[in-house]
């Protein structure tokens, strides 16, 4: 069984010949009452990666370490600069399956091989507050890195680390840093020992060139002074697609770890990719993107198999909780629990099978291939504002047609369907504007916000439609069991009234969202 630890640390190195070779005196750091010497530890770690350095390219490290208090297998996943989640597993001869699975989307069908051996002689000190609580652990490492294979190149250096104690305010690291800088140390350029080892042994420039997201070659753009980023429509669209592909990989790991809301966020990444392919068809050839879009739709549907149940269960739980106890008749709460727990049964196993499936891994390969050799059309070479604004407005016109149709449809199931179609169009228009923000700036942000307002209102309406369907089913089951259906009927009526209010509110929300100035600003 793997354990997870949030690691917040900073690394330092000698700033010059006069810098300290061991830990400086940290007892004068504000807030520190005691500094304890924890002695010297010998650490021996072998780092694993694919032959083409896919984990290194993603800032992920996987090692088998002996020595110290935490020997075992360690998988470190980047969260933010200086912050990583370390997932640990007991020592074993081979890489634990639990850790391999977490990086499956990165390594795909490739095997993991020993990459670098890093041995450290570590001096450790603990910084304690007046109550004896650990504020941080500071260490000085004399490091030797040996490249495994390819001539066995080696490197040596000394580095310093300060790792925050559990529950300590991260601002404490700033206080410690002031002392370290005064002692001649400076922040390390390398985010990890492995990253530095790759550079020091001459392998850094090769790391990750053909792996995962870095396999994708960025579109060529003019080499000129002052060029700070994407220029053409193709540059911007590919940058957006790359961000969503990166998000897909990041949320893959989160889903495998059962992180809250990860399935929903991964599903959103697939939708954004699909939307970009359809919206920016003048930039990317649909002969290539349509098959990809079909596979992304499949993935979103598979990920969302339990999402509707989850949304409805939470909605009805909240609605039931808002009722006075005198209006809750019969075992309604029990029935809702049974409905909600139906989502969890077998979900983990099903998602694991999905993310390990050949079809899913092939989809990831296809995304890499598209980014490595993008199927650009003539519109890709045009100035970004012209092309992107036109695409956003095209999606707006599509939404306007669907909203108009919904507003003229008589209340009932047909209007419900029309409003749901309008909701999907609003989402597409929102994502189109989102992708255009780097090129169009504030006008695209404002337009995106207005489209989100429409989407949110229509989303609440659709959730009400789904909730009423479930309530009808639960009421039928309760009636057949001889239970009271009063409370279920009451909830149904409230959902019906909420949906009617959404329908009354839509014209006002749409008038605000469809103001001409929002569209004109996109083209200015």
């Amino acid at each position: 069984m793997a354990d997870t630890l949030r690691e917040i640390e900073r690394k330092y190195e000698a700033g010059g010949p006069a810098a300290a070779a061991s830990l400086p005196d940290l007892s004068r750091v504000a807030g520190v009452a005691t500094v304890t010497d924890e002695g010297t530890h010998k650490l021996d770690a072998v780092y694993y990666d694919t032959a083409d350095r896919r984990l290194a390219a993603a800032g992920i490290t996987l090692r088998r370490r002996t020595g110290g208090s935490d020997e075992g297998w360690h998988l470190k996943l980047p969260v933010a600069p200086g912050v990583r989640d370390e997932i640990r597993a007991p020592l074993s001869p081979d890489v634990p399956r639990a850790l391999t699975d977490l990086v499956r989307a990165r390594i795909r069908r490739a095997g993991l091989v020993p990459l670098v051996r890093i041995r450290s002689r570590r001096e450790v000190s603990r910084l304690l507050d007046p109550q004896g609580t650990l504020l941080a652990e500071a260490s000085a490492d004399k490091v030797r890195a040996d490249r495994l294979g390819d001539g066995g190149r080696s490197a040596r250096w000394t580095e310093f680390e300060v790792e925050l104690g559990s529950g300590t305010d991260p601002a404490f690291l700033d206080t410690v840093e002031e002392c370290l800088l005064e002692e001649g140390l400076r922040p390390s350029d390398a985010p990890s020992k492995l990253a530095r080892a790759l550079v020091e042994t001459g392998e850094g420039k090769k790391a990750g060139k053909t792996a995962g997201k870095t396999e994708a070659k960025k579109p060529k753009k003019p080499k000129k002074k002052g060029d700070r980023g994407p220029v053409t429509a193709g540059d911007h669209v590919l940058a957006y697609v790359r961000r969503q592909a990166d998000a897909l990989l990041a949320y893959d790991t989160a889903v495998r770890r059962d992180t809250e809301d990860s399935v929903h966020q991964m599903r959103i990444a697939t939708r954004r990719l699909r939307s970009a392919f359809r919206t920016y068809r003048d930039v990317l050839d649909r002969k290539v993107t349509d098959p990809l879009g079909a596979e992304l739709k499949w993935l979103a549907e598979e990920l969302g198999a339990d999402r509707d149940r989850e949304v409805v269960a939470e909605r009805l739980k909240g609605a039931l909780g808002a009722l006075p106890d005198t209006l809750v008749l019969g075992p309604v709460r029990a029935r809702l629990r049974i409905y909600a727990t139906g989502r969890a049964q077998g979900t983990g196993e099903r998602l694991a099978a999905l993310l390990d499936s050949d079809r899913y891994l092939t989809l990831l390969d296809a995304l890499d291939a598209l980014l490595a050799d993008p199927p650009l059309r003539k519109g890709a070479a045009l100035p970004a504002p012209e092309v992107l604004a036109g695409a956003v407005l095209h999606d707006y016109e599509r939404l306007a047609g669907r909203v108009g149709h919904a507003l003229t449809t008589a209340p009932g199931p047909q209007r419900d369907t029309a409003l749901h179609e309008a909701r999907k169009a609003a989402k597409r228009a929102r994502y189109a504007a989102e992708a255009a923000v780097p090129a169009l700036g504030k006008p695209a942000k404002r337009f995106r916000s207005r489209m989100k307002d429409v989407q949110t209102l229509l989303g609440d309406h659709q959730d009400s439609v789904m909730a009423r369907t479930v309530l009808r089913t639960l009421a039928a089951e309760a009636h057949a069991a001889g239970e009271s259906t009063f409370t279920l009927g009451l909830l149904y009526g409230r959902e019906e009234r909420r949906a009617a209010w959404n329908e009354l509110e839509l014209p006002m929300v749409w008038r605000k969202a469809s103001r001409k100035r929002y569209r004109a600003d996109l083209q200015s």
Side-chain angles (χ1 to χ4, degrees):
M1 191 70 177
D3 298 319
T4 301
L5 169 69
R6 175 62 55 89
E7 178 185 85
I8 303 176
E9 68 177 18
R10 295 184 187 177
K11 294 180 178 292
Y12 301 87
E13 58 190 51
S22 59
L23 280 173
D25 178 15
L26 298 176
S27 61
R28 60 189 179 87
V29 173
V32 175
T34 308
V35 177
T36 64
D37 183 354
E38 301 299 312
T40 301
H41 306 274
K42 293 182 179 180
L43 309 176
D44 191 342
V46 175
Y47 288 75
Y48 287 71
D49 204 337
T50 60
D52 53 4
R53 316 292 186 267
R54 301 184 183 191
L55 298 185
I60 297 171
T61 60
L62 173 63
R63 71 187 180 200
R64 182 185 188 275
R65 190 166 80 180
T66 57
S69 61
D70 61 346
E71 65 178 12
W73 286 92
H74 303 159
L75 174 66
K76 296 194 177 190
L77 305 170
V79 176
V83 183
R84 295 187 291 182
D85 277 347
E86 181 175 285
I87 303 168
R88 299 175 177 177
L91 280 177
S92 61
D94 301 315
V95 182
R97 174 67 183 271
L99 301 187
T100 304
D101 287 346
L102 290 178
V103 294
R104 179 65 59 198
R106 304 286 184 179
I107 65 174
R108 317 252 171 103
R109 302 169 185 85
L112 292 167
V113 296
L115 177 64
V116 172
R117 182 183 183 186
I118 297 179
R119 285 169 284 183
S120 305
R121 183 179 177 85
R122 170 170 291 182
E123 299 174 9
V124 181
S125 293
R126 292 163 65 87
L127 311 185
L128 310 178
D129 69 8
Q131 289 73 43
T133 302
L134 177 66
L135 294 172
E137 185 173 275
S139 61
D141 291 356
K142 291 182 173 59
V143 181
R144 170 173 173 158
D146 295 299
R147 175 72 177 91
L148 302 178
D150 291 350
R153 289 176 292 278
S154 298
R156 295 176 184 269
W157 68 88
T158 298
E159 71 175 41
F160 305 83
E161 294 181 7
V162 181
E163 183 174 343
L164 202 66
S166 177
T168 304
D169 185 345
F172 180 69
L173 292 178
D174 294 330
T175 305
V176 178
E177 183 167 289
E178 291 178 8
C179 178
L180 295 177
L181 295 178
E182 290 174 0
E183 293 292 335
L185 303 184
R186 62 179 175 82
S188 175
D189 293 330
S192 67
K193 284 185 175 65
L194 175 61
R196 181 162 183 173
L198 290 172
V199 173
E200 296 287 337
T201 59
E203 290 294 316
K205 294 182 180 180
K206 296 181 181 179
K209 276 192 174 180
T210 59
K213 67 176 184 180
T214 56
E215 182 174 283
K217 297 178 181 177
K218 293 184 179 180
K220 292 183 179 179
K221 48 194 178 188
K223 298 293 183 180
K224 59 182 181 180
K225 187 176 181 180
D227 184 10
R228 297 183 178 179
V231 176
T232 66
D235 292 333
H236 280 279
V237 172
L238 287 173
Y240 182 77
V241 170
R242 186 174 290 106
R243 288 196 298 273
Q244 301 315 314
D246 289 346
L248 193 64
L249 293 177
Y251 285 120
D252 172 288
T253 303
V255 169
R256 293 174 189 269
R257 296 175 62 191
D258 196 25
T259 302
E260 184 178 359
D261 201 39
S262 56
V263 173
H264 179 49
Q265 293 301 322
M266 187 175 181
R267 193 182 185 196
I268 288 175
T270 67
R271 287 172 169 172
R272 283 174 166 150
L273 282 167
R274 271 187 77 213
S275 178
F277 292 155
R278 290 179 294 176
T279 296
Y280 296 108
R281 53 188 175 276
D282 289 339
V283 174
L284 297 174
D285 191 343
R286 292 193 64 175
K287 292 179 182 178
V288 177
T289 61
D290 277 357
L292 255 178
E295 289 301 281
L296 287 165
K297 181 180 180 181
W298 159 78
L299 177 59
E301 289 173 347
E302 290 294 317
L303 291 170
D306 300 311
R307 176 63 180 170
D308 290 348
R309 182 186 292 265
E310 180 182 19
V311 169
V312 171
E314 286 299 315
R315 186 181 181 98
L316 295 181
K317 180 182 177 182
L320 184 61
L323 291 179
D325 290 342
T326 54
L327 297 182
V328 181
L329 305 181
V332 182
R333 290 188 175 86
R335 285 207 169 272
L336 282 181
R337 280 197 299 271
I338 292 171
Y339 171 77
T341 54
R343 178 187 66 84
Q345 295 176 358
T347 296
E349 293 80 0
R350 185 183 63 78
L351 287 175
L354 168 67
L355 299 182
D356 286 338
S357 68
D358 187 68
R359 183 174 182 179
Y360 170 67
L361 297 179
T362 298
L363 168 59
L364 297 182
D365 289 341
L367 283 172
D368 283 349
L370 178 138
L371 287 166
D373 186 17
L376 299 177
R377 301 190 66 202
K378 290 183 178 179
L382 297 176
E386 173 187 342
V387 177
L388 271 58
V392 172
L393 292 174
H394 182 274
D395 279 355
Y396 165 82
E397 294 298 336
R398 180 171 173 270
L399 169 60
R402 292 194 179 186
V403 170
H405 173 64
L407 291 174
T408 57
T409 301
Q414 288 185 336
R415 174 178 276 190
D416 291 341
T417 299
L419 289 170
H420 183 44
E421 291 301 312
R423 177 202 180 194
K424 291 190 286 187
K427 188 180 298 184
R428 177 167 161 180
R430 172 191 169 190
Y431 290 158
E434 176 183 87
V437 165
L440 303 182
K442 289 184 179 179
K445 286 184 179 180
R446 286 192 290 268
F447 190 85
R448 176 186 62 187
S449 179
R450 298 288 77 81
M451 296 303 101
K452 184 179 179 180
D453 291 342
V454 177
Q455 178 193 336
T456 299
L457 177 70
L458 295 175
D460 188 64
H461 184 277
Q462 177 61 18
D463 289 347
S464 177
V465 171
M466 295 191 299
R468 280 178 280 155
T469 299
V470 171
L471 287 168
R472 281 196 299 269
T473 301
L474 294 178
E477 293 173 352
H479 177 74
E483 300 166 6
S484 171
T485 60
F486 170 81
T487 302
L488 294 168
L490 178 61
L491 292 175
Y492 186 96
R494 291 192 171 192
E495 286 292 349
E496 199 169 43
R497 184 174 62 184
R498 187 168 174 175
W501 178 255
N502 289 148
E503 293 177 29
L504 287 173
E505 197 176 5
L506 177 60
M508 179 182 67
V509 173
W510 177 244
R511 277 197 300 272
K512 182 177 180 180
S514 59
R515 289 174 181 168
K516 289 183 179 180
R517 66 183 178 90
Y518 293 131
R519 304 196 298 281
D521 286 348
L522 290 173
Q523 296 175 303
S524 61

